[in-house]
Amino acid sequence: MTNERTFVKVLKKYIEAEGVSLPIFDPVSLRIHQELVKKEPDLRTVEKLISGDQALSSNLLKVANSSMFQGLVATTSIRSALVRLGMAEVARIVLANISKKIFSSRDKHIHTIMKKLWQHSMGCAFATGMLSNCLDFGIFQHEAFSAGLFHDIGKLMILKVIAEKKQVNAALVVPDELLIGAMDLLHAEQGYLLLRQIQMPETVAVIARDHHLPDFDSNNYILPLVRMANQICHQMGIGLKHDPSIDLLATDEAIHIRLSQSELDKVQNFLTTTSGLFS
């Protein structure tokens, strides 16, 4: 415990003293996301930004022409793909594309942990988006998806700090227990500060900060959804933790959003069949 406290203290001091600002997002991806989370995204701006990213453009057109969305004729332009898919689906595609870029490291051990973190983040993103249907009033699904995806972004930042230090000092060894402990203690605060720094919506930043508090703000309508999604993923073993003993429907979050067994089954079935979340 003493070693963990010392490590956490040193790590936090390094982050604050050095003013660490790691390249969590590339500028183009960040700009696209900032536009998409607006209440009224500018279609022309989104089109221009996506067109400038070859990999993202290709993926968007592939989805637009898939069996799920295809029309009578194939779409070959980003504008027509945006219209066909709708902003909510485009936001999910963009966020998935962003996450694949940022949850990676040259350090093999760190990369393995990041993959687990990516699985958990994507699982929470999809689950939060689906759980938003439980509310009596409509919310933007892409806002819920974003909040689920970025709730643990502080853990990613900490992993990138460690990876950066290991590049400088190849002999540095951080035991998993110490690393996971530091992530658990620091990620909420550091995630909030990072999301504020890169001008993410306040709602998303607050959820990153508050998703582990004993009580939750019922006025923040997305927060209980993210907390519920988080517990679903923990119960199913999606990510770094696995606790099959969680009684999901008995949780305060499930009661608050009036989650039914059929709605829970739908989310769990979707996560079970979503490629990459368990492998």
Side-chain angles (χ1 to χ4, degrees):
M1 180 61 72
T2 301
N3 286 341
E4 181 178 293
R5 287 176 180 170
T6 302
F7 178 68
V8 168
K9 187 176 180 179
V10 171
L11 183 59
K12 185 176 180 181
K13 186 176 180 180
Y14 171 75
I15 293 173
E16 293 174 350
E18 298 296 325
V20 175
S21 181
L22 296 170
I24 299 292
F25 305 100
D26 67 84
V28 174
S29 296
L30 178 58
R31 180 69 187 87
I32 294 172
H33 181 67
Q34 288 172 332
E35 187 63 37
L36 285 169
V37 294
K38 293 180 180 178
K39 289 188 176 180
E40 296 184 6
D42 187 308
L43 182 64
R44 288 173 295 182
T45 299
V46 174
E47 177 188 8
K48 182 178 179 181
L49 291 168
I50 291 178
S51 296
D53 187 314
Q54 187 175 359
L56 181 54
S57 298
S58 175
N59 192 27
L60 196 72
L61 290 171
K62 184 185 297 183
V63 175
N65 289 308
S66 67
S67 58
M68 183 178 294
F69 294 100
Q70 67 183 4
L72 295 176
V73 294
T75 180
T76 57
S77 73
I78 298 302
R79 171 63 67 90
S80 60
L82 292 174
V83 173
R84 178 177 291 183
L85 294 171
M87 284 301 181
E89 185 63 31
V90 170
R92 284 192 285 271
I93 294 169
V94 170
L95 288 169
N97 185 75
I98 290 173
S99 69
K100 284 183 180 180
K101 292 180 179 178
I102 64 176
F103 286 82
S104 62
S105 173
R106 295 178 183 176
D107 184 286
K108 291 183 178 180
H109 184 60
I110 295 292
H111 183 77
T112 299
I113 298 175
M114 282 186 179
K115 181 181 178 182
K116 289 284 187 182
L117 183 59
W118 174 82
Q119 291 170 327
H120 179 72
S121 298
M122 288 300 295
C124 282
F126 283 119
T128 305
M130 294 182 72
L131 289 170
S132 66
N133 295 321
C134 296
L135 300 181
D136 293 332
F137 52 92
I139 66 170
F140 291 109
Q141 270 205 344
H142 58 274
E143 186 180 4
F145 190 94
S146 298
L149 182 64
F150 296 129
H151 78 287
D152 271 349
I153 199 69
K155 291 184 178 181
L156 178 63
M157 181 180 182
I158 291 166
L159 287 172
K160 286 189 175 285
V161 168
I162 300 299
E164 185 181 74
K165 297 296 288 182
K166 289 180 75 173
Q167 270 194 313
V168 176
N169 179 9
L172 178 64
V173 176
V174 181
D176 282 357
E177 185 178 347
L178 204 58
L179 180 55
I180 299 299
M183 288 163 60
D184 285 344
L185 289 171
L186 292 176
H187 78 281
E189 176 189 10
Q190 294 304 320
Y192 172 76
L193 294 174
L194 173 63
L195 292 172
R196 288 295 304 274
Q197 179 186 333
I198 60 177
Q199 299 180 337
M200 285 289 185
E202 179 70 9
T203 303
V204 176
V206 167
I207 287 171
R209 183 191 67 194
D210 296 349
H211 67 280
H212 284 304
L213 293 181
D215 300 309
F216 57 88
D217 179 5
S218 59
N219 293 319
N220 184 336
Y221 50 87
I222 299 182
L223 180 57
L225 301 180
V226 173
R227 289 169 62 109
M228 188 72 247
N230 200 35
Q231 296 202 65
I232 290 173
C233 287
H234 287 329
Q235 197 263 2
M236 295 178 70
I238 301 174
L240 295 166
K241 297 180 180 179
H242 188 197
D243 184 0
S245 68
I246 299 174
D247 185 351
L248 293 171
L249 290 177
T251 61
D252 291 339
E253 293 79 9
I255 295 169
H256 179 75
I257 65 174
R258 298 178 182 177
L259 181 65
S260 69
Q261 183 65 59
S262 63
E263 288 167 329
L264 175 60
D265 289 343
K266 187 182 298 182
V267 173
Q268 290 185 305
N269 288 338
F270 177 84
L271 295 178
T272 300
T273 58
T274 297
S275 176
L277 292 185
F278 290 94
S279 59

